[in-house]
Amino acid sequence: MRSDPTPRSRPAWLADAILYQIYPQSFADSDGDGIGDLNGITERLGHLSWLGVNTIWINPCFASPFRDAGYDVSDYLSIAPRYGTADDLARLVETARHHGIRVLLDLVAGHTSDEHPWFTASANDPSDHRYIWADTDEPPRGFVPSPGGRNGAYLPNFFPTQPALNFGYARMAPSEPWRQPVDADGPRANRAALREIMDHWLRLGIAGFRVDMASSLVKDDPGFRETSLLWKELRAWLDRAHPDAVLLSEWGDPAVSVPAGFHGDFFLHFGGDGDGLALRSLWNNHGGIDMEHWKAVDCFFDAEGKGSPRPFVQAWLEAMETIGDAGHIALPTSNHDFSRLGCGPRTPEELPAAFALLLTWPTLPAIYYGDEIGMRYVPGLPDKEGSVIGFAGPDYNRAGSRTPMQWDSGPNAGFSTAPADRLYLPIDPDPSRPTVEGQRADPGSLLNLVRRLIALRASSPELGAGAEVRILHDGFPFTYVRGDRYLVVINPRRRAAAFKPARKPGRGAIGTGRLVEGRGVTLTGDGVEAEGFSYAIVDLDG
Ligand code: GLC
């Protein structure tokens, strides 16, 4: 595991990817059991193709007891019956291909369910080292007592029902005799298992994986040195066996994950200095979910204008500088672990500017299902399949971001034909909740704006992931130029804002141009004036 293989594959299509995340439980229910499924996704590919997204990633859809909504896998090689079959996945992949859409699955690499046969065997066989077992009378701190005939305790990776797979420790410690080196038999078997799982699904035609908790594999690993070597080894194997396969990490530090072999990293979930500061400083996806109240964080997308784009921009530019063109940083609107863009006091009129930023930024933009119509974080829901993360706070409930997609004004918002009380989670009870049907019919809707912004991005190399960004003003209004062609102005606060560059900037900075998309922004010749909640994309060549 010591090799540092280069070069590695760089699938060209990824630079143009517009990602769309599907939480399969809640997207579309084709068989009326109240839970979304693969055939439901296939039936709705038309919406995604109309919207213009070209890559979907689906949260884990494998066999599972669902103590953590499927992030507790009990068989990596079979589809959970509630979602359908491997044939359904093959049909989904094939239909998606016809729509020009690639499919990424979710690889839960660091742990299994405690109901996985590997674990039940391990819990009864003291000679098995696929998991991390401490053979002590008292469980060491953080360990969970053995549920089987084996004595001792195992190390969980997230919830106690998610035992950590043993990828070894980066260093030994006499006080912890259970530590094994990364090249011990258990870690080798687990690395081989990851190859087998990836190979299995890649052969079916998927484009790659989002990798769950990718940094968590090797324990006590300062600087993630051994974890990085592990991923490089897997990447080298992929380069030979499946050179087009893409790996995107849930890591939060592109400066480490990209050199480790990932093509991109979902940075803002918990990236940047401090506890997810970069994420929270942009649109505060943490705020609405924690305690189910809007937690005051001075984020940029705050109506009162308390925040600033600066922490986000600085973290971003630093990360970009470190990785160069070796990989990408994915910017999500939100995801299944954090509150949606529409949460807390944020109103629908604040959302267009957020999408204007997302879709003109040098990133892999990732839209969480439903954010394109402004679905909100629904407060007050019960704990569903481990949605409440007790150790993150008693009211940290992810369920509010996982409610069914709102398709139309019919029963269950068109999500399912099941009785309402059998749905995976209730539909947002707000009578004025947005729907795809309603917004498709309205040219002024968020959905139609998102569609136009995607089309603009897709047809303008200057707006792509790899094109240059020149920041003109990292205050209000946030102002930047992409690829020397598009001037972007974003004012997410209620109060108006104006900006005049101190010195006359060069060509393509602020002059006149053609307004491609926007509202409430005026170019004054030597600066910009932006009303509250305004945004503009101006073609300076126009
Ligand atoms: C990741 C997933 C989250 C899950 C956890 C444990 O953070 O996004 O949903 O609970 O890993 O697998």
Side-chain angles (χ1 to χ4, degrees):
M1 220 180 96
R2 303 243 147 231
S3 63
D4 185 354
T6 45
R8 58 174 206 241
S9 69
R10 301 264 315 279
W13 63 267
L14 189 63
D16 300 320
I18 295 176
L19 301 163
Y20 187 93
Q21 180 191 344
I22 294 179
Y23 187 70
Q25 289 91 320
S26 299
F27 193 62
D29 172 20
S30 73
D31 61 4
D33 67 354
I35 303 182
D37 44 53
L38 296 174
N39 287 341
I41 298 174
T42 306
E43 285 169 13
R44 297 291 187 171
L45 284 169
H47 165 66
L48 301 178
S49 145
W50 173 86
L51 186 59
V53 300
N54 55 19
T55 311
I56 56 177
W57 77 270
I58 306 176
N59 290 98
C61 52
F62 313 108
S64 168
F66 294 102
R67 307 264 184 270
D68 185 15
Y71 281 97
D72 48 331
V73 177
S74 58
D75 181 358
Y76 288 97
L77 303 185
S78 59
I79 299 291
R82 73 187 199 181
Y83 296 133
T85 63
D87 284 347
D88 294 334
L89 180 64
R91 201 164 37 248
L92 163 58
V93 168
E94 182 57 15
T95 315
R97 201 172 61 79
H98 284 296
H99 284 289
I101 295 174
R102 291 180 166 84
V103 179
L104 305 176
L105 296 182
D106 202 321
L107 179 66
V108 188
H111 49 268
T112 67
S113 159
D114 59 356
E115 294 184 24
H116 196 295
W118 297 340
F119 184 72
T120 45
S122 196
N124 289 291
D125 175 1
S127 71
D128 181 279
H129 293 293
R130 297 291 292 274
Y131 297 84
I132 300 171
W133 289 96
D135 196 9
T136 50
D137 293 336
E138 277 296 302
R141 232 184 87 214
F143 280 61
V144 181
S146 169
R150 179 179 194 158
N151 281 330
Y154 67 88
L155 183 70
N157 215 29
F158 195 72
F159 289 143
T161 51
Q162 291 161 305
L165 283 162
N166 179 17
F167 291 100
Y169 282 72
R171 48 190 182 186
M172 301 297 104
S175 59
E176 298 191 0
W178 57 82
R179 294 185 177 211
Q180 294 194 329
V182 293
D183 268 331
D185 286 351
R188 292 171 92 95
N190 285 331
R191 297 205 302 277
L194 289 183
R195 290 199 292 272
E196 191 192 331
I197 296 161
M198 287 195 267
D199 185 60
H200 180 85
W201 296 114
L202 287 166
R203 278 174 193 277
L204 190 133
I206 66 157
F209 296 90
R210 174 262 189 189
V211 179
D212 182 64
M213 287 177 65
S215 66
S216 74
L217 272 52
V218 178
K219 304 303 182 196
D220 191 16
D221 184 17
F224 299 101
R225 196 173 161 276
E226 291 293 341
T227 305
S228 298
L229 287 171
L230 181 156
W231 285 114
K232 279 184 188 172
E233 178 192 81
L234 290 172
R235 181 72 249 168
W237 165 75
L238 277 174
D239 284 348
R240 292 191 302 276
H242 299 281
D244 289 335
V246 156
L247 291 185
L248 301 179
S249 51
E250 184 201 36
W251 190 307
D253 191 354
V256 181
S257 55
V258 167
F262 288 93
H263 296 105
D265 189 8
F266 290 92
F267 179 37
L268 288 189
H269 295 25
F270 23 70
D273 289 344
D275 179 20
L277 186 70
L279 162 80
R280 303 183 71 181
S281 74
L282 184 61
W283 33 58
N284 191 14
N285 294 76
H286 208 74
I289 212 163
D290 199 359
M291 308 301 287
E292 299 210 351
H293 308 127
W294 183 257
K295 252 202 162 177
V297 169
D298 293 345
C299 69
F300 178 46
F301 278 80
D302 170 80
E304 303 319 315
K306 290 189 201 129
S308 148
R310 216 158 293 138
F312 162 74
V313 170
Q314 274 167 10
W316 195 276
L317 294 180
E318 258 171 51
M320 288 222 328
E321 204 166 301
T322 318
I323 64 174
D325 59 4
H328 301 283
I329 311 174
L331 175 59
T333 54
S334 63
N335 73 13
H336 61 292
D337 292 329
F338 295 96
S339 49
R340 289 181 178 278
L341 277 184
C343 71
R346 196 175 283 141
T347 59
E349 70 179 324
E350 297 176 52
L351 301 181
F355 276 95
L357 170 67
L358 177 84
L359 291 164
T360 58
W361 194 248
T363 183
L364 299 182
I367 299 171
Y368 183 51
Y369 83 96
D371 279 353
E372 74 273 29
I373 53 170
M375 274 175 64
R376 66 168 183 144
Y377 173 85
V378 179
L381 295 177
D383 185 1
K384 178 72 178 178
E385 297 187 343
S387 62
V388 172
I389 308 185
F391 58 80
D395 296 322
Y396 191 105
N397 192 354
R398 302 177 285 181
S401 291
R402 300 175 171 184
T403 58
M405 181 70 172
Q406 295 153 200
W407 292 103
D408 57 38
S409 54
N412 298 329
F415 162 68
S416 168
T417 55
D421 62 359
R422 291 200 42 214
L423 300 187
Y424 178 75
L425 279 167
I427 308 281
D428 178 357
D430 183 349
S432 61
R433 63 180 175 239
T435 65
V436 171
E437 182 190 48
Q439 291 205 2
R440 266 182 89 141
D442 172 7
S445 67
L446 181 65
L447 178 64
N448 271 299
L449 171 67
V450 172
R451 183 177 185 237
R452 289 194 305 274
L453 289 171
I454 291 176
L456 176 67
R457 185 180 177 98
S459 62
S460 313
E462 298 89 347
L463 293 174
E468 181 214 36
V469 59
R470 188 151 43 95
I471 312 289
L472 299 189
H473 185 50
D474 61 0
F476 291 88
F478 183 30
T479 310
Y480 52 93
V481 175
R482 292 301 315 282
D484 223 17
R485 175 167 181 196
Y486 290 103
L487 174 75
V488 183
V489 182
I490 310 276
N491 181 27
R493 72 181 186 195
R494 191 186 320 277
R495 207 150 49 84
F499 161 65
K500 271 190 191 149
R503 278 179 299 136
K504 194 162 174 52
R507 177 207 165 272
I510 297 187
T512 47
R514 183 175 60 90
L515 180 70
V516 183
E517 201 59 70
R519 64 154 292 274
V521 172
T522 313
L523 300 192
T524 57
D526 59 349
V528 293
E529 287 174 1
E531 294 172 10
F533 305 139
S534 64
Y535 62 96
I537 301 158
V538 176
D539 184 349
L540 297 166
D541 286 348

